[in-house]
Amino acid sequence: MDDKYFMKMALELARKGLGFTSPNPMVGAVIIKDGKIAGKGYHKAVGKAHAEINAINDAKSLASGGTLYVTLEPCNHTGRTLPCTLKISEAGIKRVVIAMKDPNPNVKGGGIDYLKNKGIDVTLGICEDEAKKLNEAFIKFVETGSPFVTLKCAATLDGRIATRTGDARWVSGEESRRFVHKLRHAADAIMVGVNTVKIDNPSLTTRLDDINNIITFQIIKCQIIVRDLHGKPILWILPTLLQNVQRVADERLVLCSLRIKEYYLPDITEPLPGLSTVLTLAVFVKN
């Protein structure tokens, strides 16, 4: 068993945070002492303890003298939680193996520099490609300010998405629909065309048997409507973690008494704020 073996274990732990950590990245951590697993943990939700802290707490005194495997550079700043680097140093960990640097330009490299200055041996780049793939949405958002957008469209072999009469409920199968719900769970918001709202009245919720659809935090505090040059609504973006949606006469929505934001096409000169991941469901805009 080598560094790659234990880093893959940390990556598997990180994946457990899918759909719960945004706008934070998914991170997993494993502590090895004398060739055995002493502790492990992952970042469970934004505002909660980071993966390194959970792993150290799990290992307790066994963390001292051990090696920490973590999928992302430990933070060295105070945000919602205290710096992980401080906890790592205090725990007596002698070596830290990191999959990738933190891509956030405000914190990049700070954690590694701190650990090295404390005399801790640091190895970087183990399973780096896998770590970057895992957090591709986070990386896109912190580097560009734009959301990571996934386009979902179910179509028949001849390029149709429904029957002419519109009476077909699905053109997809059970396995693909379950996959789409996993995409929904991972996204911060779902965007559809206004005609989809008018005709299909979709619930746009996540329905997975093994995932509790409980609101633990709110990513976005408003509904977003995009209108064309004539003021006609063409896109509708719904935060995935908001419920109790009520329809009103002009097809706008009231979301838990939160404010509504509207954007007109001529005004969109920069990325829409507050979104790191968006799932687009078959958006077709007519001129």
Side-chain angles (χ1 to χ4, degrees):
M1 294 183 289
D2 57 8
D3 286 346
K4 183 175 289 188
Y5 175 86
F6 292 119
M7 186 61 75
K8 286 184 178 294
M9 188 182 298
L11 286 166
E12 283 302 312
L13 286 169
R15 290 186 181 95
K16 291 185 177 182
L18 180 67
F20 297 107
T21 65
S22 182
N24 290 350
M26 293 171 279
V27 183
V30 177
I31 296 174
I32 304 300
K33 178 77 172 288
D34 298 329
K36 297 180 181 180
I37 299 174
K40 54 186 179 180
Y42 68 97
H43 184 40
K44 296 181 178 181
V46 62
K48 302 289 185 179
H50 288 186
E52 304 94 315
I53 306 302
N54 287 329
I56 291 171
N57 290 341
D58 187 41
K60 300 181 174 64
S61 62
L62 291 176
S64 180
T67 297
L68 170 68
Y69 292 84
V70 61
T71 58
L72 184 70
E73 177 184 3
C75 67
N76 191 42
H77 64 281
T78 300
R80 295 184 178 92
T81 60
L82 294 175
C84 291
T85 51
L86 179 61
K87 184 74 171 181
I88 292 170
S89 177
E90 291 176 344
I93 288 173
K94 67 177 182 180
R95 180 175 179 238
V96 177
V97 182
I98 303 169
M100 61 173 287
K101 284 187 176 182
D102 191 328
N104 190 331
N106 297 321
V107 300
K108 187 185 299 182
I112 293 174
D113 292 341
Y114 178 93
L115 295 174
K116 288 182 176 179
N117 289 335
K118 288 294 182 178
I120 298 173
D121 182 29
V122 176
T123 301
L124 178 65
I126 304 298
C127 299
E128 183 176 10
D129 290 341
E130 293 95 322
K132 287 183 176 180
K133 178 64 176 177
L134 176 67
N135 278 309
E136 57 184 345
F138 170 75
I139 295 171
K140 168 77 179 297
F141 183 64
V142 298
E143 289 184 343
T144 68
S146 298
F148 183 88
V149 179
T150 303
L151 173 64
K152 172 265 177 183
C153 179
T156 59
L157 290 176
D158 59 353
R160 311 299 182 187
I161 63 173
T163 62
R164 181 182 292 107
T165 58
D167 58 354
R169 186 177 182 187
W170 289 310
V171 296
S172 58
E174 183 176 343
E175 185 176 354
S176 64
R177 289 195 295 274
R178 179 173 175 79
F179 177 71
V180 168
H181 280 279
K182 290 182 179 180
L183 289 177
R184 290 186 181 189
H185 175 67
D188 288 345
I190 298 174
M191 180 170 67
V192 295
V194 167
N195 284 337
T196 297
V197 178
K198 291 180 178 179
I199 298 171
D200 295 340
N201 190 28
S203 59
L204 299 181
T205 57
T206 298
R207 298 184 292 278
L208 293 169
D209 294 336
D210 55 346
I211 295 177
N212 293 324
N213 199 18
I214 299 175
I215 299 177
T216 55
F217 56 90
Q218 294 179 352
I219 299 294
I220 307 162
K221 298 185 182 301
C222 66
Q223 167 205 353
I224 296 175
I225 299 175
V226 179
R227 297 178 180 271
D228 64 14
L229 294 171
H230 305 290
K232 179 182 177 181
I234 56 174
L235 294 179
W236 173 69
I237 306 176
L238 173 67
T240 57
L241 297 180
L242 298 181
Q243 293 178 338
N244 302 323
V245 179
Q246 296 179 344
R247 187 80 59 209
V248 294
D250 63 352
E251 282 77 44
R252 295 185 183 183
L253 302 174
V254 179
L255 304 178
C256 305
S257 301
L258 298 177
R259 73 183 188 277
I260 291 176
K261 261 192 179 178
E262 295 195 9
Y263 291 87
Y264 290 79
L265 288 184
D267 299 329
I268 301 179
T269 58
E270 56 187 45
L272 299 178
L275 299 172
S276 62
T277 54
V278 175
L279 173 62
T280 303
L281 301 182
V283 175
F284 297 94
V285 181
K286 294 183 179 180
N287 293 328

